[in-house]
C-alpha cells in the first residue's frame, strides 16, 4: 500500500491504497457470503429449512423461469461468489488483469440484484449488496485513475488560464 509522509510526520494512505483496501474487503465479504448463500439455496432443495431464518418461501419463484432454487443458488455461488473470490485473489496478488476481474465482479453484483428484484420482493439485503456493488465499481474506477473522489475544484483552477488572458498554443 502506498503510504505518504505528511509535514507533521504522520503517514497517510493514498486514494489508490484506500480504494484497494475497500475492494479487497468488499470482494472477500461478497465472495464468502455469496458462496454460502448459494449453497444454502441449493441445499434448500434437498433439506427442508422450513421455520428457520434461511428458509426462502417457494412463492418467490412464481413467475420466474425456475421451478426450484437450484439454478439461482448455483449462479449465486459460482458466478457472483466465484468472480468475487477470483477478483480478490488477483487483486491481492497484484495480477495483470485484476482490474478487469474487479469490474466484472462489481457489474455481476449489480446485475444479480437487478435480476433478483424482478422476481422477488424487496429485501434490505438487496439494497446492501447493490450498494456494495456500486462502491466496488467506484473503487475500481479509482484504481484505474478514472474517478478522483477527493479532487478539489482548486486543483482544476490552478491549471486554468486567468480571466482575460489568452492561452498559448
Amino acid at each position: 500500500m502506498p503510504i505518504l509522509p505528511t509535514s507533521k510526520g504522520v503517514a497517510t494512505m493514498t486514494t489508490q491504497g484506500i480504494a484497494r483496501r475497500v475492494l479487497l474487503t468488499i470482494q472477500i465479504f461478497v465472495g464468502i457470503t455469496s458462496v454460502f448463500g448459494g449453497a444454502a439455496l441449493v441445499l434448500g432443495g434437498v433439506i427442508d429449512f422450513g421455520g428457520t431464518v434461511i428458509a426462502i418461501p417457494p412463492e418467490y419463484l412464481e413467475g420466474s423461469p425456475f421451478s426450484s432454487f437450484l439454478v439461482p443458488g448455483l449462479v449465486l455461488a459460482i458466478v457472483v461468489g466465484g468472480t468475487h473470490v477470483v477478483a480478490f485473489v488477483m487483486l491481492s496478488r497484484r495480477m495483470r488483469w485484476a482490474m478487469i476481474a474487479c469490474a466484472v465482479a462489481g457489474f455481476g453484483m449489480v446485475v444479480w440484484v437487478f435480476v433478483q428484484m424482478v422476481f422477488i420482493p424487496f429485501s434490505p439485503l438487496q439494497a446492501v449488496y447493490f450498494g456494495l456493488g456500486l462502491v466496488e465499481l467506484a473503487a475500481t474506477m479509482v484504481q484505474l485513475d478514472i474517478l478522483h473522489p477527493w479532487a478539489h475544484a482548486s486543483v482544476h483552477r490552478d491549471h486554468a488560464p486567468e480571466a482575460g488572458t489568452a492561452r498559448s498554443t
Side-chain angles (χ1 to χ4, degrees):
M1 308 287 150
I3 298 181
L4 304 174
T6 63
S7 60
K8 296 181 182 179
V10 178
T12 60
M13 184 172 285
T14 64
T15 305
Q16 296 279 321
I18 293 168
R20 185 172 187 276
R21 285 188 179 188
V22 166
L23 273 172
L24 288 169
T25 302
I26 289 173
Q27 288 165 349
I28 197 64
F29 174 78
V30 171
I32 290 170
T33 58
S34 296
V35 167
F36 282 119
L41 287 174
V42 170
L43 289 174
V46 179
I47 302 169
D48 183 19
F49 289 122
T52 66
V53 75
I54 62 172
I56 299 175
E59 298 84 44
Y60 283 2
L61 292 174
E62 290 176 9
S64 80
F66 308 108
S67 59
S68 76
F69 286 107
L70 176 66
V71 173
L74 290 173
V75 171
L76 178 59
I78 296 168
V79 177
V80 177
T83 57
H84 278 83
V85 170
V86 167
F88 173 82
V89 169
M90 290 180 74
L91 184 62
S92 65
R93 293 184 178 181
R94 300 179 191 274
M95 295 174 77
R96 181 177 184 165
W97 301 102
M99 289 296 96
I100 291 174
C102 292
V104 167
F107 279 116
M109 173 56 64
V110 171
V111 169
W112 170 260
V113 174
F114 271 129
V115 171
Q116 191 182 56
M117 289 180 70
V118 168
F119 295 108
I120 66 172
F122 175 78
S123 161
L125 279 177
Q126 292 168 332
V128 168
Y129 280 90
F130 185 77
L132 287 173
L134 292 179
V135 171
E136 188 173 8
L137 290 172
T140 300
M141 289 190 285
V142 169
Q143 284 281 285
L144 292 169
D145 206 26
I146 296 170
L147 180 65
H148 308 282
W150 292 285
H152 299 291
S154 62
V155 171
H156 300 292
R157 271 189 270 132
D158 293 342
H159 300 291
E162 292 183 25
T165 62
R167 262 190 168 161
S168 62
T169 55

